[in-house]
Amino acid sequence: MKKTPYEVEITEVGPRDGLQAEAHFLPTEQKIELINNLIGAGLRRIEFSSFVSPRAVPQLADAEDVIAGVKRSPDVILTALVPNARGAARAAEAGVDEFVVFVSASESHNRKNVNCSIADSLAGFQNVAGIADEAGIPVRGAIATAFGCPFEGDVPLEQLSDIAMQFRDLGFTGYVLGDTTGMATPPLVSAACSHLSNEVPDMELGLHFHNTRGIGLCNVMAGLEAGIRKYDSSIGGLGGCPFAPAATGNICTEDLVYLLHEMGIETGLDLPKLMEIAQKMEELLGHKLPGQIMKAGLRLDLHPIDAVQAAAG
């Protein structure tokens, strides 16, 4: 594996995918501070919110206010999830840098998630693409439940490539496979990446894993072996899908960065700063987050020998 600096690009999704699973509303000012701190740690692509109905996801009802308060920079891309043309119009008016549209790979989950069929979702993206084109805003696609559906089981690979081809035909710049309920395994990741690289070689692919069953970073390893260099992650391991059973948090940003750095793969991110941000999020949310590195520290963070009691006997 090549070890080129900045080879892997991480998209931080905590402010959107992470916070949407939180029951208590995080004040707008604290969301803005979180995003500014993430930018300060080196992140250059942040999914900061979603322009969904406030009734559907109350936590993200302040999307316009959040982006208005962030310290914008030309080298930082602020992306937002847009479910339909109405959300796209709001996002364009707010000055979002990139749209993300999503559709599930399974009919059952798509109906639970957005209350319509896959075909209807894809048809609706034509309006979103038109709004984006008029505003000069690029669009990326996301395929949820790409590695398995909690209602239907395994997802045929052909379903993934069919959706990806329709994304391409709509003019999207790339797409991401979402492991919405943590059903991915390394063999499934390898098979999906191989299939898609053959069937849709002209579309840039990224991966979005959850750590529901404890192998999120194992799946990243499979993605790296397949040549994928774009990954979504969430600070502290925040997250989970509110429309799927037992869908716990995303893979943790600082844990992912630690893994990549220990492999000699640079990310351009400041790991100690990320750890501080994760610890601060625990304080703000009032509960523990699943991230590990922020608790254990870095591998070579040494301790005084007298800090631990010696064994007796």
Side-chain angles (χ1 to χ4, degrees):
M1 186 182 299
K2 290 172 60 180
K3 296 181 180 179
T4 307
Y6 312 115
E7 184 180 0
V8 167
E9 179 185 78
I10 293 175
T11 297
E12 171 60 49
V13 300
R16 197 281 300 176
D17 198 6
L19 290 181
Q20 75 172 7
E22 291 293 319
H24 299 292
F25 185 81
L26 188 70
T28 302
E29 295 76 15
Q30 293 179 358
K31 291 173 183 166
I32 293 170
E33 181 183 10
L34 166 63
I35 295 166
N36 286 335
N37 287 341
L38 291 167
I39 293 171
L43 282 149
R44 293 296 174 260
R45 184 182 295 272
I46 300 172
E47 193 172 288
F48 76 93
S49 194
S50 176
F51 287 80
V52 296
S53 165
R55 293 189 302 276
V57 188
Q59 181 69 252
L60 306 179
D62 56 355
E64 284 93 346
D65 294 333
V66 170
I67 192 171
V70 172
K71 296 176 183 177
R72 304 294 290 271
S73 170
D75 62 346
V76 175
I77 298 172
L78 295 180
T79 77
L81 214 59
V82 295
N84 49 39
R86 181 181 301 175
R90 285 177 56 203
E93 178 68 22
V96 169
D97 296 318
E98 180 183 68
F99 292 170
V100 177
V101 299
F102 61 94
V103 63
S104 298
S106 78
E107 286 288 349
S108 300
H109 186 265
N110 205 64
R111 291 185 182 278
K112 281 289 185 182
N113 203 27
V114 293
N115 199 30
C116 69
S117 68
I118 293 174
D120 288 342
S121 284
L122 291 168
F125 294 161
Q126 295 180 10
N127 294 328
V128 173
I131 293 169
D133 185 59
E134 184 175 344
I137 298 172
V139 185
R140 295 179 68 83
I143 305 176
T145 61
F147 301 100
C149 169
F151 312 114
E152 298 179 18
D154 287 331
V155 171
L157 294 176
E158 292 74 19
Q159 180 75 348
L160 302 180
S161 53
D162 178 66
I163 294 172
M165 289 175 187
Q166 295 190 62
F167 284 166
R168 179 188 61 195
D169 294 344
L170 286 165
F172 294 179
T173 58
Y175 67 109
V176 61
L177 298 182
D179 183 27
T180 313
T181 57
M183 294 173 70
T185 64
L188 291 175
V189 174
S190 299
C193 292
S194 175
H195 174 78
L196 291 165
S197 66
N198 289 327
E199 297 297 318
V200 201
D202 51 347
M203 282 285 281
E204 185 178 62
L205 173 62
L207 297 172
H208 174 117
F209 294 122
H210 285 226
N211 199 42
T212 309
R213 292 170 175 83
I215 60 171
L217 293 184
C218 298
N219 293 325
V220 170
M221 294 294 291
L224 291 171
E225 288 294 329
I228 307 302
R229 294 295 179 263
K230 291 182 178 292
Y231 295 88
D232 292 356
S233 61
S234 178
I235 193 72
L238 273 167
C241 178
F243 305 108
T248 53
N250 298 262
I251 59 170
C252 174
T253 299
E254 62 273 16
D255 291 357
L256 172 60
V257 172
Y258 173 75
L259 170 68
L260 295 172
H261 287 186
E262 286 292 316
M263 293 174 66
I265 300 173
E266 277 298 329
T267 62
L269 301 180
D270 186 323
L271 181 51
K273 283 187 178 180
L274 291 172
M275 293 162 65
E276 291 175 6
I277 296 168
Q279 290 163 350
K280 178 67 177 297
M281 284 306 298
E282 283 195 331
E283 296 176 14
L284 293 177
L285 296 173
H287 64 80
K288 293 292 184 182
L289 294 176
Q292 296 297 304
I293 289 300
M294 66 169 167
K295 301 179 180 73
L298 303 180
R299 183 173 64 88
L300 292 178
D301 286 347
L302 303 182
H303 305 274
I305 196 167
D306 57 359
V308 178
Q309 182 177 353

